[in-house]
Amino acid sequence: MDELGLLRKEIGEARSLFFLGGAGVSTASGIPDFRSPAGLYAIESRYGVSYEEMLSRDYFYDHPQEFYEFFFSSMVYPRAKPNKAHLALADFEKRGHEVHIATQNIDGLHRKAGSSKVYELHGNVYRYYCTRCARRFSYGEIAHEGVPHCPCGGILKPEVTLYGEELPQQALGAALRAVREADVMICGGTSLRVYPAAAIPEYFMGKCKILINKEATPLDPYFDYVFHEDIGKTLEALLS
Ligand code: NAD
């Protein structure tokens, strides 16, 4: 059996699969990542502030108008559909395997594909809450131009982890439990440069660690198998 065949067998026999993904999982759905040459970092020049500053907690409260102009035009893709990568993971679960997905993405596409155990480490652009009365809203319930407000007058904030904020503790805790209990871990479509999410692979105690990312990452040497390939194509090959 070739290497791919052996890996496929190991994954198929695993009691539990843990997947950690990032922006590269959704590029084939038309959502740009941050660090590829055509990624969102290119947008910085248009707004005159760094990407990290624009997406920081302080910037949100100091410049809500500019924040939302950028956010609605560059961070929310309501027409995006799950691609091969999301569907391969969802199908694998449908076939009876235990699959836990921790994602740095905020686009909701894993759930849209049908995966059930999804831990959104950086939140979700389709959920909002009032900064004054804490009432919650879905994307469909709010205005998409200017700064959305609650009927009470408070500014709405997206349930997205901004720079300067902590990760949602429930999602992080669930991801850490799942990675510790998994037999196989696949990380993919992530530069593994954004912490604390990039530290999650260190908690894996199982048998087989696989990385699928177009570019090399600082953690490549930590993995047993590294594919510098497209995540959708490779996940399909491994999970079919
Ligand atoms: P990143 O942008 O830092 O890195 C993405 C990586 O994916 C790159 O190394 C790139 O080479 C790789 N990649 C791109 N397309 C790929 C493909 N088809 N197959 C395999 N690899 C591919 O992304 P990150 O590590 O997730 O950075 C984290 C930050 O980016 C998070 O804070 C996240 O919230 C945010 N983000 C999310 C979205 C989204 O929700 N879809 C989009 C952009 C950024």
Side-chain angles (χ1 to χ4, degrees):
M1 204 182 289
D2 62 4
E3 190 182 65
L4 199 65
L6 284 170
L7 254 184
R8 209 185 278 146
K9 186 167 178 295
E10 179 139 14
I11 296 169
E13 288 171 359
R15 202 179 25 82
S16 169
L17 168 70
F18 176 81
F19 178 80
L20 171 68
V25 173
S26 293
T27 48
S29 297
I31 304 177
D33 61 8
F34 279 5
R35 287 175 178 80
S36 297
L40 286 175
Y41 272 123
I43 287 172
E44 284 185 14
S45 53
R46 206 192 295 166
Y47 289 89
V49 292
S50 75
Y51 201 82
E52 286 89 347
E53 194 181 341
M54 174 69 83
L55 287 178
S56 68
R57 181 185 165 81
D58 287 349
Y59 196 87
F60 171 79
Y61 283 106
D62 293 345
H63 307 277
Q65 183 76 34
E66 290 87 345
F67 174 91
Y68 267 115
E69 188 191 316
F70 173 75
F71 190 78
F72 285 142
S73 64
S74 303
M75 303 292 291
V76 188
Y77 294 81
R79 280 195 281 274
K81 292 195 175 62
N83 64 54
K84 281 180 187 178
H86 306 101
L87 295 172
L89 287 159
D91 284 351
F92 195 62
E93 181 184 342
K94 243 182 251 158
R95 281 184 272 127
H97 298 277
E98 188 176 324
V99 182
H100 297 262
I101 299 173
T103 181
Q104 298 165 83
N105 292 346
I106 51 183
D107 53 35
L109 289 180
H110 282 295
R111 282 190 206 280
K112 233 185 198 175
S115 290
S116 68
K117 299 180 187 73
V118 181
Y119 315 120
E120 293 175 319
L121 301 170
H122 294 166
N124 186 308
V125 294
Y126 300 108
R127 296 194 300 262
Y128 295 77
Y129 67 92
C130 174
T131 53
R132 189 186 286 171
C133 73
R135 182 171 157 191
R136 300 178 77 186
F137 297 84
S138 69
Y139 180 72
E141 294 172 313
I142 66 166
H144 304 147
E145 271 192 37
V147 180
H149 282 82
C150 178
C152 83
I155 290 180
L156 301 189
K157 184 176 178 298
E159 275 189 36
V160 162
T161 311
L162 299 175
Y163 288 99
E165 294 183 322
E166 281 188 9
L167 264 55
Q169 290 305 299
Q170 217 178 342
L172 182 60
L176 289 174
R177 273 193 300 282
V179 72
R180 280 197 199 102
E181 286 167 14
D183 296 328
V184 173
M185 172 174 71
I186 304 179
C187 299
T190 171
S191 59
L192 291 174
R193 287 176 199 275
V194 179
Y195 284 82
I200 290 176
E202 287 171 28
Y203 292 84
F204 178 72
M205 297 189 293
K207 286 186 280 196
C208 176
K209 307 187 280 288
I210 302 164
L211 175 65
I212 309 165
N213 203 59
K214 275 191 179 164
E215 299 169 338
T217 80
L219 300 187
D220 279 18
Y222 171 71
F223 288 85
D224 304 311
Y225 301 90
V226 176
F227 297 89
H228 289 151
E229 308 268 358
D230 176 69
I231 181 90
K233 198 184 79 184
T234 313
L235 277 180
E236 261 190 356
L238 290 175
L239 304 180
S240 62

